[in-house]
Amino acid sequence: IKYIADNAFTSCTNIKRIICEGEEIPTAAENAFKFNVATPNLYVADGLEDEYANNWKTFIGKINTTNLTIGASEYSTFALNHSAKVPEGMKVFTAEVTGENEITITEVKQIAKGEGYIAYGKGNFTFEPAKKVVSERNINDMIGVYENTELSGDDVYLLSKYNDVVGFRCLGNENTYTLPAGKAYLQIPSFEAK
């Protein structure tokens, strides 16, 4: 797409998100993204958030950072829609199921877009987007979600605190849980679940 015309989306009342994966930003008329209802979420290629914001002035809220608050448990899960460096004061881990009742946790220094992670720290953290896409990935059985997602099953494990102990707990087939957008869960590979 090279050009988006004036009022191109004026009557589109049900759009929830727009995904722009290209690195060339289409020119947009001033009112191309004039919506009659709430502005949808915009996802763009890593490091191009400011350029999109400058070119599509009336449309974009700041999306080039993601914030995470970690409370007293000092642990949380998260998933980002952009690559990032690990913020100062936080440690970030992947999780790999390596055997029956065994999980290997590996610390990482860079965060890849679209992966689920475990965060350790306390307070408010901001993930600044990396200028270069993070492509080196460890084996990771954490699954990130970008919409509120209903989960159930014996292969789904959630990070939680119980009796002052933080750990992964099986959700089970009898239970359902809606995991908020931007969080992650541990998926036990099918061969391990048997």
Side-chain angles (χ1 to χ4, degrees):
I1 296 174
K2 299 290 185 189
Y3 178 73
I4 301 171
D6 201 32
N7 296 311
F9 296 98
T10 298
S11 297
C12 300
T13 58
N14 291 320
I15 294 177
K16 293 182 179 175
R17 64 186 162 276
I18 296 174
I19 301 168
C20 300
E21 295 182 342
E23 294 190 6
E24 290 186 28
I25 302 169
T27 303
E30 186 175 333
N31 289 321
F33 295 103
K34 181 180 176 184
F35 288 88
N36 295 337
V37 292
T39 303
N41 293 321
L42 176 70
Y43 299 93
V44 299
D46 290 341
L48 296 179
E49 295 86 352
D50 287 339
E51 290 180 55
Y52 271 91
N54 290 333
N55 287 321
W56 295 356
K57 291 177 178 61
T58 60
F59 172 55
I60 299 178
K62 271 294 204 186
I63 62 166
N64 65 333
T65 60
T66 303
N67 298 311
L68 177 65
T69 299
I70 305 176
S73 74
E74 299 183 340
Y75 285 92
S76 183
T77 64
F78 71 94
L80 302 178
N81 63 4
H82 59 79
S83 299
K85 289 192 266 183
V86 175
E88 195 163 319
M90 173 190 283
K91 291 186 177 185
V92 173
F93 305 90
T94 57
E96 178 191 2
V97 178
T98 52
E100 190 175 337
N101 300 318
E102 185 177 301
I103 299 168
T104 299
I105 306 294
T106 304
E107 185 175 1
V108 296
K109 297 297 181 190
Q110 296 183 2
I111 299 161
K113 167 181 170 179
E115 294 282 314
Y117 291 97
I118 303 164
Y120 173 75
K122 191 171 182 182
N124 299 313
F125 299 94
T126 299
F127 297 98
E128 297 290 343
K131 294 300 179 192
K132 187 177 177 185
V133 174
V134 175
S135 57
E136 54 194 60
R137 297 183 181 179
N138 293 310
I139 296 173
N140 190 8
D141 292 319
M142 296 291 295
I143 307 293
V145 300
Y146 298 99
E147 299 177 338
N148 292 348
T149 303
E150 188 172 290
L151 300 171
S152 67
D154 286 335
D155 60 345
V156 173
Y157 285 73
L158 301 175
L159 188 68
S160 62
K161 186 174 184 179
Y162 181 74
N163 288 338
D164 291 328
V165 176
V166 176
F168 285 103
R169 288 174 179 75
C170 181
L171 184 57
N173 287 324
E174 310 81 38
N175 302 311
T176 60
Y177 178 78
T178 301
L179 190 65
K183 295 294 186 180
Y185 65 96
L186 180 65
Q187 178 79 54
I188 303 295
S190 58
F191 68 88
E192 292 288 354
K194 295 177 183 175

